[in-house]
Amino acid sequence: MSGFRLAKGGAIDRNRPLSFTFNGKFYQGFEGDTLASALIASGVDIVGRSFKYHRPRGFVGAGVEEPNGLVQVGTGARSTPNIKATTIALYEGLTATSVNAWPSVEFDIGALNDVMKRFIPAGFYYKTFMWPDWHLFEPLIRRAAGLGQAPIEADADRYDHAHIHCDILIVGGGPAGIAAALTAAQGGLDVVIADDGPRLGGSLLWDFADQTDDGVAFAKMAVTKLGDTDSITVLTDTSVYGYYDHNFLTARQYRKPPGASANGTANSGNTAERIWKIRAEHVILATGAIERPLVFANNDRPGVMLAAAAQNYAMQYGVAAGRRAVLFANNDHAYKSAIALKSVGVDVALVVDPRQNPDGYWPKRAREMGIVVERGAVICDVHGEKRVRAVTIGKASDNDEAPEVTQTVTCDLVLSSGGWSPRAHLFAQSGGKLRYDEAIHSFRPDISVQKETSVGACNGALRVADCLVEGSAAAIEACAILGKSVTAPIFGYSPETPVTQPQAPYFRAPSPKGRKAWVDFQNDVTASDIELAARENYVSVEHLKRYTTLGMASDQGKISNLNGFSIMAQTRGVSVRDVGTTKFRPPYEPVTFGAIAGRRIGDFYHPIRRLPTDQLQRELNAQFEDYGGWARPYCYIRDGEKKEDAVYREVRAVRSGVGLFEASPLGKIEVTGADAGVFLDRIFVNTASTLKPGKARYGLMADENGVVFDDGVFVRLSDDLFLCSTTSAGADHMFLWMEEWLQCEWTDLDVYIANVTTSWATFAVAGPYARDVLLKVTEGVELGNDAFPHMACRAGTVAGVRTRINRISFSGELAYEVNVPAGYGEHVWRAIMEAGAEFDITPYGLEATMLMRAEKGYLHVGADTDGQTLPQDIGYGGPVKKKKSDFIGRRSMVRPDAKRSDRLQFVGLKPIDGTQALPIGGHIVEETQGTRKSAGYITSSYWSPVLQHGIALGLVKSGRDRMGEHVRIYDDGSFRSAEIVSPVFYDQNGDRLAS
């Protein structure tokens, strides 16, 4: 155990100790610690095991770049797996355990894989588990997959989503982000600055060579000033993880530490995390850069750490990661880390630099402090099993041979620095193009495609002074674009700009024979794995990623990808620019499922809409089910009835008397304007513009492929006003479909659209006595056949309420649809029921409606159609054959494939035995030369209580040409026989609905 707490320093509050447990042991830290800093201060070396070989792992980084320190935090329902310990703010009572280790992180049985690693290199699973059958190995592999354990109890925490619009979004609260925010604050624009740390400052809080730097004071001043500016919104503990089209970004904000509330007690309703959905006029990315390690033998041992991470722990948290350190670096900046650690009492034994003449400002200052610098040298090997004990030093060379060993140095901490990689992830997500910069040996932003500017370290500017300049300049430019003139403020802070030498393009030290050099620490990808991928021709970076799993761990290759690409470039003999980089995709860092779901859980996952008469239906003992997002009556059960009995009773009541159906969810879209008819001619397969006011017509809608996707009835209320009905489930989709065509394609049309579905209560009064019932409560409307024929619309009053009545039938009986304002729904329902009492009026549910429409052969889009059904397949080819003006999907309907005679066509199917309904989904089977093939399938099937036999609808190959043919239907190992018939089983001439 080598890490320890420094006697002074850091931003922690030493007067507020915090107790926590890790792997069952009690430890203590301070307010302001992270779990990682507290563990290092407590001397904990091993915090996890690698995924593949289960090698012991210690902390490498100090932030989101950390690949090793994944832990499970909390217990029970509040247990959260796979959180980086470097990002967890310590709190009283925190409980954490290591993941991917059994029985313990100190002794892991899975480490046997490490002994066998020569037999399980990259890609071994692709070659090993294909024979004799992948499924034989699948259960074992699935059990081995994953890291932490997902809790099985319901999450008691609360998660929120919030939307915010701003003029300028600044991502990153380091020196560049602060400079941009202070500059933009002068313009009075709405500015949001988001940073994933608990306070603004970024590298200013730790990246100095002693503890007298005034960058911390500057950061504190900026925080105060920004907090006092009304137009500035500061979001700390907020990670912006996604950048999408039109400057839409998403961010996750911790509202409390995971697993407990901020005061350490169980969360009692406070928001645990919040997803921010941000729309910005302009975005300034100031996300900084990540130090990357060097690749050398056994560089994955606990105690091998990024140089900047060790400096961060010392300066921010007052923690030394070791007592005696060796630094291996190819750049001047890393010397600052050696100087900083030396200044707080860590013995920096040696700096190993592959460059022959590191004589910049920081190397010189390091030597002045007595730090020995070994020039033209590399680390050949790291000694120690569960903690670094020593390193072997050798001479740097330009070939791939193992270097000549010169000395062995004892140490318990190895610091590694291979330069800095700009955090260009969000820039790339936005669609921006990256370029390889030889000066920093990394990819950086090049061409923006959105209203975005990258500044500071994420743009390759690694000096603080340059970050301040770029941040301020970007804000001035953004404000000018938005119509505000601002100037660069006087920051009162002048960071030093020492002369530095270029970093060496050195990133890898050749390993001695039998030693592995690690590139991706979490997924155990080694340099030899990448070389193997090259030999097997997986040279594309995307193929390399998948073949070796490079960059596929939870850290998404933040510190490993570029080293992997460099090794591939070296192996192929090309430049890293030629190798390229993989795609950067959201999220930038893992996001919990709770945060993604937000409040959309339980009843809020898919909020069920209620009928205007919901409470009244419950009084009638309606049995509710979810139909297209609406809670609707399936049927109405009376004493002693089963659901099936109730449905049959309701059907018989409508067929012989009168029934009342709650049809309010029926889609209702008003289309108005001088060009309303022209617009609907293009939307519907059939014609709307020739319809007379007061008349209704059946309408069919198809997509661009000619496939039927909705239907309904449209009514012309006046010359420039149509009311279009849709299926209940399709109302919202149909409205958006119309809006898309109107706003994106036909912008010249004078048309307005409104979805008024929920504004109206709709009741269907159906059955032979429907007219008699309505006559008792209706005024101002002649209900007789001559004055009010089928497929017509009239206006009047029902029970004293202004109404629109449509003579439309979905049951095949005489029927009227009564539409009244939703607020009057219950009143009108009761009035109709009272008027129908003498006729024994019966409420009927959706299942009875569906059964009656099947008897009548009415199509149910989505049930009786599939993703290939065209209008002519359902007997609706007239508009296609006629020279009607163009409509959506018309050209697709005249393709050769659409004219095939053997397409699946809509028909009826009657069971030969007649004893029971045919199986829904059963296939019509044909046998040819001993081979069975499907010739279609059943889409709807019922037992008809009126016809006293089974009825079915289906899609059958060449169905309309096969009327009267007997076919075999297969389902679940058995066969039934049926006759192909007309889909209209009941009242084929339509006499009853026109009565």
Side-chain angles (χ1 to χ4, degrees), residues 579-601:
V579 171
T581 182
T582 51
K583 295 286 186 182
F584 293 101
R585 298 180 176 89
Y588 171 68
E589 63 171 325
V591 181
T592 61
F593 286 113
I596 293 172
R599 298 291 184 94
R600 299 190 304 273
I601 59 174

Side-chain angles (χ1 to χ4, degrees), residues 73-75 78-80 91-95 157 255-268 271-272:
V73 178
T75 59
R78 292 192 169 90
S79 178
T80 305
Y91 57 86
E92 179 65 30
L94 182 150
T95 300
D157 288 337
R255 303 300 297 170
K256 69 172 185 62
S261 62
N263 60 8
T265 61
N267 184 26
S268 58
T271 298

Side-chain angles (χ1 to χ4, degrees), residues 466-503:
D466 296 334
C467 292
L468 296 175
V469 171
E470 285 195 9
S472 184
I476 292 172
E477 180 181 2
C479 288
I481 293 173
L482 297 173
K484 297 291 184 179
S485 178
V486 298
T487 58
I490 298 174
F491 296 123
Y493 170 56
S494 300
E496 54 188 339
T497 55
V499 176
T500 57
Q501 291 179 304
Q503 74 176 62

